[in-house]
Amino acid sequence: MKIFAFGSSLVSSYWNGAATYYRGCYKYLARLGYQVTFAEPDAYGRQTHRDDVDLSFANLVTYKPVGSEGDFGHGPDYEHLPTLKQMFEEARKADVVVKHSGIGVDDALTESLILEAQPDALAIYWDVDSPATLARMDADPNDSFRAVVPRLDAVFSYGGGPVCREGFDRYGVRHYIQAYNGLDPETHHPVAPDPRYACDLAFLGNRLPDREARVEELFLRAAALAPDQTFLLGGEGWGDKPMPPNVRYIGHVPTAQHNVLNCSARTVLNINRASMANSGFSPPTRVFEAAGAAACMLCDDWPGLDDCFQPDEEILVVRNAEDVVRHLHTHDAAATKRIGEAFHRRALKDHTYAQRAAQADEAIRYLKSRR
């Protein structure tokens, strides 16, 4: 079958944490025989910040956004790109048309246009931030997506568990399918450490309003409480943030460097966005990247975490800065190595993108059979 997907970006992880998720899902769907086309807008500087990764599993298409949001951060070929409407003319030829959440330009228009692919194609909304999508609809009675949800063939959700399932049920969704993040062992795996990234605790994450307070508590305050430990911060937007002297900020880290960073730090930290932490059941990309590298992870606490990994055995749970410092002081190199290896084994057993793609394939075939 042919899949035509609209998303933020497959080629770049620049201000785009979903890139790894897209790559994993579509790479392994392609291996199941799907012909994948991925269309993304030329916006936010992503076409000039492309990652050096193999994307040969998909036909990549860049289009010109309609909205004014697309007027900044575009690449050199912007004026010669096809339009969003032209993209949909091609999308109608597919068996499945997917609109991912959070593209950042023309989201409402794209959400409505995917319905035009019906009845010949399935229209699927593949959400990478269901808590935010539901909060948006709950807050605005005039949100156009309210009328779209009951007409979709399905919503695939990156996370959110029962809270988000119940939320979409309120809006009349026909089928809600959980599609967790995962591990691609071909791209995230143990490598030799690099002294440039050596530290006691590393955190990678862009500066976002609904995560900043948690970063201040679990990372920056922890650093202040542990001046004997070294901390490494990667991600966009933190340059003007006051930091303790034992924190080193390195800016954007391309996905090609995530393996070596995760293998060079004694421990790594995950901090979910507040909306995802509150709804739970939302393991992010960073968790599985670290698992692939057999890193020892300290993870913020949220419902459903223990459905994915066993606390204290495969992952270390932290609720405040004191927890972070305690783990850093009580887990020596042997202990962190043991936990990281258990983390790696569990991810390979239960959480690969090959398994996620098989689940998506089963859902798509079921939906097709009901036409």
Side-chain angles (χ1 to χ4, degrees):
M1 287 188 280
K2 296 180 180 179
I3 295 180
F4 199 109
F6 293 86
S8 53
S9 183
L10 195 69
V11 303
S12 176
S13 60
Y14 185 69
W15 284 104
N16 179 40
T20 299
Y21 178 68
Y22 296 150
R23 292 165 186 170
C25 291
Y26 288 116
K27 173 181 175 178
Y28 286 93
L29 280 169
R31 290 191 180 181
L32 291 175
Y34 286 83
Q35 296 178 43
V36 177
T37 297
F38 193 97
E40 59 186 74
D42 185 354
Y44 301 107
R46 291 176 184 139
Q47 300 309 310
T48 55
H49 290 83
R50 291 182 168 225
D51 298 321
D52 184 17
V53 291
D54 180 9
L55 301 175
S56 58
F57 56 84
N59 174 35
L60 304 174
V61 184
T62 307
Y63 63 89
K64 185 187 299 184
V66 176
S68 60
E69 306 100 316
D71 292 343
F72 62 89
H74 52 73
D77 297 326
Y78 178 77
E79 294 301 329
H80 304 288
L81 294 176
T83 66
L84 178 60
K85 294 291 182 68
Q86 289 172 319
M87 288 296 92
F88 269 98
E89 292 301 320
E90 292 300 313
R92 289 191 183 97
K93 302 173 186 178
D95 300 289
V96 183
V97 179
V98 172
K99 194 278 179 184
H100 287 285
S101 64
I103 294 176
V105 287
D106 306 320
D107 277 293
L109 176 60
T110 314
E111 287 162 3
S112 63
L113 285 175
I114 61 170
L115 297 174
E116 296 183 9
Q118 296 170 322
D120 297 324
L122 294 176
I124 294 174
Y125 185 79
W126 199 326
D127 204 334
V128 296
D129 193 352
S130 291
T133 301
L134 290 165
R136 183 190 97 191
M137 289 193 289
D138 291 343
D140 182 5
N142 298 314
D143 190 308
S144 61
F145 194 46
R146 287 181 171 221
V148 172
V149 171
R151 298 174 59 193
L152 294 165
D153 289 285
V155 169
F156 286 15
S157 178
Y158 163 113
V163 171
C164 289
R165 179 182 292 274
E166 291 165 7
F168 276 108
D169 282 343
R170 290 199 310 272
Y171 290 105
V173 70
R174 296 180 190 176
H175 298 281
Y176 176 91
I177 293 146
Q178 193 75 58
Y180 276 147
N181 229 307
L183 166 66
D184 181 357
E186 295 179 2
T187 59
H188 294 101
H189 47 76
V191 297
D194 187 327
R196 293 179 300 163
Y197 299 124
C199 62
D200 292 300
L201 181 68
F203 171 67
L204 286 182
N206 294 328
R207 188 177 183 179
L208 299 170
D210 71 342
R211 181 164 55 197
E212 186 161 357
R214 297 162 67 81
V215 174
E216 289 173 349
E217 170 65 23
L218 296 174
F219 186 77
L220 295 176
R221 194 167 80 86
L225 292 175
D228 59 318
Q229 304 288 303
T230 55
F231 291 71
L232 186 70
L233 174 62
E236 289 289 342
W238 299 105
D240 62 348
K241 183 78 172 177
M243 301 180 193
N246 56 335
V247 174
R248 181 160 58 98
Y249 175 52
I250 59 174
H252 175 64
V253 180
T255 53
Q257 293 297 307
H258 288 190
N259 276 341
V260 67
L261 187 149
N262 286 328
C263 290
S264 302
R266 183 162 67 88
T267 62
V268 297
L269 177 65
N270 174 71
I271 303 175
N272 271 15
R273 294 171 61 181
S275 58
M276 287 190 167
N278 292 337
S279 64
F281 298 89
S282 302
T285 299
R286 300 284 182 253
V287 168
F288 297 103
E289 288 183 346
C296 178
M297 170 159 278
L298 280 61
C299 187
D300 60 327
D301 193 20
W302 33 265
L305 174 58
D306 56 358
D307 281 3
C308 299
F309 297 99
Q310 181 62 42
D312 298 325
E313 299 294 327
E314 299 166 342
I315 200 166
L316 298 174
V317 180
V318 294
R319 297 174 181 84
N320 51 45
E322 287 79 6
D323 284 347
V324 174
V325 174
R326 175 172 54 83
H327 284 309
L328 290 176
H329 284 156
T330 59
H331 289 84
D332 60 15
T336 57
K337 185 174 187 295
R338 182 181 68 252
I339 293 168
E341 289 175 346
F343 191 33
H344 186 218
R345 288 193 297 271
R346 177 67 181 276
L348 290 174
K349 175 177 176 289
D350 294 335
H351 301 302
T352 66
Y353 277 120
Q355 291 167 305
R356 305 297 192 243
Q359 293 164 356
D361 172 55
E362 181 180 6
I364 289 168
R365 293 184 182 280
Y366 170 77
L367 294 169
K368 278 287 189 183
S369 73
R370 293 178 60 85
R371 277 299 180 87

